Amino acid sequence: MKTLDDHALALLFTEARSHNGWSDRKVERDTLLRLHDLVRMGPTSANCSPARFVFVESADAKAKLEPALSSGNRQKTMSAPITVIAAYDTAFYEKLPELFPHADAKAWFTSSPALAEETAMRNATLQAGYLILAARALGLDAGPMSGFDKAAVDASFFAGTTWKSNFLINLGHGDPSKLFGRLPRLEFEDACLIA
Ligand SMILES: Cc1cc2nc3c(=O)[nH]c(=O)nc-3n(C[C@H](O)[C@H](O)[C@H](O)COP(=O)(O)O)c2cc1C
C-alpha cells in the first residue's frame, strides 16, 4: 500500500497553517493551471463539479473586491498575490449531460431547487477544501476567509450570471511572522463516534 510520508503529511496537514501575511513572490499562471488540474479530480456527487473559481490577481479586480472585505481581512487580502473567490454555479446541473452522461441526472435537480442548492453548496465547499490542500501540495500557502459581504461580491463579479460566492482564499507564499498562534483541535473522543 502506498502512503504519504511524514514530510508530505506535514505539508498538507500537521504543519500547514492558515496564513495572514504574504511575501511578494508571484504565483505563476502555470501553477494555477496545475492547481485546477488537481482540484477537478476530487470527488463530487454525481461528478457534478459545481465549484467555480475566480483568481483575483490584477489591481483592478482587487479594487473591486476591497469594499466587500471585513476590516480584519482587508490588509491581508489586498497584499496577497491572489485571492480566490471560491464560488459555485447554481445552474451546475446544465453540465451534467457531459459530466454524468449515463443517467438523466440533470432532471434530479431541475425538479428540486432545494436539492440543487444543497448539492451545489455541499460539493462546491468540498472542492474549495480540495483547493486548499492542492495549493499546499504545490508549495503554496492558503488563507481561507468567510468574513466578507457575499451580496457585494456577487454584485461586483457575478451580476447577470448563475454564479454565487461561497468563501475567499488568499493564495501565495505566506509570511510566517504574521501567523496567529496555533489553536487546539478536538480529540478523537470529542469529535468522533465509532458506531
Ligand atoms: C471557511 C473558513 C472561513 C474563515 N474565515 C476567516 C476570516 O474571515 N478571517 C480570518 O482571519 N480567518 C478566517 N479563517 C481562518 C481560520 O480561523 C483558521 O483556518 C483556523 O483558525 C485554523 O488555523 P490554522 O490552519 O492556522 O491552524 C477561516 C477559515 C475557514 C476554513
Side-chain angles (χ1 to χ4, degrees):
M1 185 175 59
K2 288 186 182 162
T3 61
L4 298 181
D5 63 18
D6 284 348
H7 166 74
L9 293 175
L11 190 68
L12 295 179
F13 293 102
T14 51
E15 287 176 20
R17 297 298 314 276
S18 298
H19 279 264
N20 303 299
W22 305 96
S23 84
D24 293 337
R25 205 168 136 197
K26 237 173 95 62
V27 177
E28 298 301 329
R29 190 58 49 93
D30 184 53
T31 307
L32 295 183
L33 300 180
R34 290 177 67 205
L35 181 69
H36 181 254
D37 275 347
L38 294 175
V39 171
R40 66 181 180 161
M41 299 314 294
T44 55
S45 64
N47 198 31
C48 65
S49 310
R52 304 290 181 265
F53 300 107
V54 181
F55 294 100
V56 177
E57 184 184 45
S58 70
D60 280 358
K62 278 288 186 84
K64 231 162 84 170
L65 186 60
E66 185 170 12
L69 300 170
S70 70
S71 55
N73 289 333
R74 190 157 294 152
Q75 211 275 330
K76 57 183 157 190
T77 302
M78 296 310 288
S79 65
I82 291 195
T83 303
V84 186
I85 304 174
Y88 58 100
D89 188 350
T90 56
F92 68 90
Y93 43 75
E94 295 293 349
K95 297 206 183 295
L96 282 172
E98 175 194 341
L99 294 172
F100 202 71
H102 48 284
D104 182 14
K106 179 176 167 180
W108 307 339
F109 301 106
T110 50
S111 63
S112 172
L115 180 65
E117 174 63 25
E118 183 182 334
T119 301
M121 205 42 174
R122 175 182 297 123
N123 289 282
T125 303
L126 272 175
Q127 289 183 282
Y130 304 149
L131 184 142
I132 293 171
L133 292 175
R136 291 171 172 179
L138 294 176
L140 296 175
D141 293 303
M145 296 166 297
S146 48
F148 70 103
D149 181 340
K150 263 170 62 68
V153 167
D154 292 350
S156 298
F157 287 87
F158 303 138
T161 79
T162 52
W163 293 20
K164 299 254 179 266
S165 58
N166 182 3
F167 65 102
L168 306 176
I169 305 169
N170 286 330
L171 281 186
H173 297 91
D175 173 356
S177 74
K178 301 273 173 37
L179 286 170
F180 302 146
R182 184 69 125 172
L183 294 169
R185 300 301 206 257
L186 297 178
E187 297 299 333
F188 185 93
E189 305 76 61
D190 298 320
C192 311
L193 291 173
I194 296 178

